[in-house]
Amino acid sequence: MSEDRNTGTDKIELLKVDSISAGYDESLVLRDVTVRVNENEVIALLGRNGVGKSTLLKCIMGILPITQGNIAFCSKHVQAWPSDKRARAGMGYVPQGRDIFPNLTVWENLKVSIEVSGKDSKGRLDLVYKLFPVLEEMLQRKGGVLSGGQQQQLAIGRALLTNPKLLILDEPTEGIQPSIIDQIEDAINTLRSQKEMSIILVEQYLDFAKAASDYFYILDRGSVVEEGSTTKLNDEIIAKYLTV
């Protein structure tokens, strides 16, 4: 299932992953994958374990080189750019496992992003505290003693402080208690309503993915096999490609 997604004046293309392939050593993981993200849009990347979702995110961020195809971000071809240049151009990435600094306090973790961004971050810090109030309450606690859900909120907060045009979240609800999943969903919906960034969301929790996204792509065996408005993610597609 494919949909016509004319960009038009109200839908400006932010990211275009165009017919890319990539893999590890001699193993090809992604095969001729095309994904588009418009401005102010939340995209869900779905699929069973091992189909290439996290690999696709690594290619977008420049962590893994592509073997063919092109990646355009803000109308610039970026496939040859290193990860740090892509980050400075406006890509924020929260990988699986959160990747916070466990021996630094919450404030020190946040301060790293503030210093890296090199811009006035007062408003963005206020936004992070609004989205995740627990972080302001725990500023002096070490990141390593936080719960998994609190670490995830910290990781997302750090990414937001870099003022990204595109926020990339890899399995943000994995291993997290339901109450914090609800907070993360509310945060994504708040960011959607502000219309200041786009989000790519890799997610196994289908109810969360459907509630938080506008459009979906399903990967199977390294290729895009379905795409469409999230409202059209029906039981037949779920049973065919997403049910374990």
Side-chain angles (χ1 to χ4, degrees):
M1 181 183 68
S2 175
E3 291 192 0
D4 180 17
R5 297 177 70 205
N6 294 323
T7 53
T9 56
D10 60 334
K11 290 188 177 181
I12 300 172
E13 192 171 87
L14 179 70
L15 175 77
K16 178 67 177 291
V17 177
D18 188 14
S19 301
I20 71 165
S21 296
Y24 304 93
D25 298 324
E26 301 301 317
S27 177
L28 193 63
V29 177
L30 299 178
R31 299 170 176 84
D32 197 31
V33 170
T34 294
V35 168
R36 187 171 81 228
V37 182
N38 292 326
E39 286 188 351
N40 308 320
E41 182 176 50
V42 181
I43 296 292
L45 294 180
L46 307 173
R48 297 185 179 99
N49 288 331
V51 298
K53 303 184 300 295
S54 293
T55 298
L56 176 55
L57 298 189
K58 291 176 182 178
C59 290
I60 293 170
M61 280 304 304
I63 298 168
L64 181 70
I66 61 176
T67 57
Q68 73 171 41
N70 298 287
I71 301 174
F73 182 63
C74 297
S75 302
K76 296 179 181 178
H77 287 290
V78 302
Q79 62 268 10
W81 290 12
S83 297
D84 61 335
K85 186 172 180 179
R86 299 188 202 199
R88 289 194 302 272
M91 292 187 186
Y93 178 48
V94 180
Q96 272 183 300
R98 274 79 86 171
D99 202 25
I100 65 163
F101 298 109
N103 293 321
L104 299 183
T105 65
V106 169
W107 170 242
E108 289 168 339
N109 268 275
L110 295 173
K111 191 176 178 182
V112 168
S113 289
I114 293 171
E115 292 177 347
V116 167
S117 66
K119 304 169 185 174
D120 177 29
S121 55
K122 175 72 166 63
R124 294 197 300 279
L125 190 58
D126 289 343
L127 173 63
V128 168
Y129 292 157
K130 178 182 177 182
L131 295 175
F132 306 122
V134 69
L135 298 182
E136 189 172 17
E137 298 167 8
M138 297 185 171
L139 288 177
Q140 300 309 314
R141 290 199 188 182
K142 293 286 183 71
V145 305
L146 302 181
S147 70
Q150 291 164 351
Q151 289 183 9
Q152 186 65 274
Q153 291 176 89
L154 177 56
I156 296 172
R158 287 196 325 172
L160 290 174
L161 286 174
T162 65
N163 197 26
K165 299 180 181 74
L166 176 65
L167 178 64
I168 301 172
L169 304 176
D170 194 354
E171 300 276 14
T173 70
E174 185 178 33
I176 291 177
Q177 57 267 47
S179 61
I180 295 186
I181 291 176
D182 290 342
Q183 290 180 45
I184 293 173
E185 181 183 322
D186 289 344
I188 290 174
N189 286 327
T190 296
L191 295 171
R192 287 168 79 186
S193 69
Q194 293 184 344
K195 298 186 181 301
E196 293 181 355
M197 73 180 67
S198 300
I199 299 172
I200 298 178
L201 177 69
V202 165
E203 187 51 64
Q204 295 285 351
Y205 181 21
L206 270 180
D207 288 344
F208 176 89
K210 291 171 72 173
S213 65
D214 304 301
Y215 198 87
F216 73 90
Y217 290 88
I218 295 179
L219 272 66
D220 188 49
R221 298 181 182 179
S223 299
V224 173
V225 291
E226 293 282 350
E227 65 174 280
S229 167
T230 308
T231 59
K232 298 183 179 180
L233 186 55
N234 57 38
D235 291 342
E236 180 182 355
I237 295 172
I238 291 169
K240 186 174 183 179
Y241 294 113
L242 302 176
T243 303
V244 177

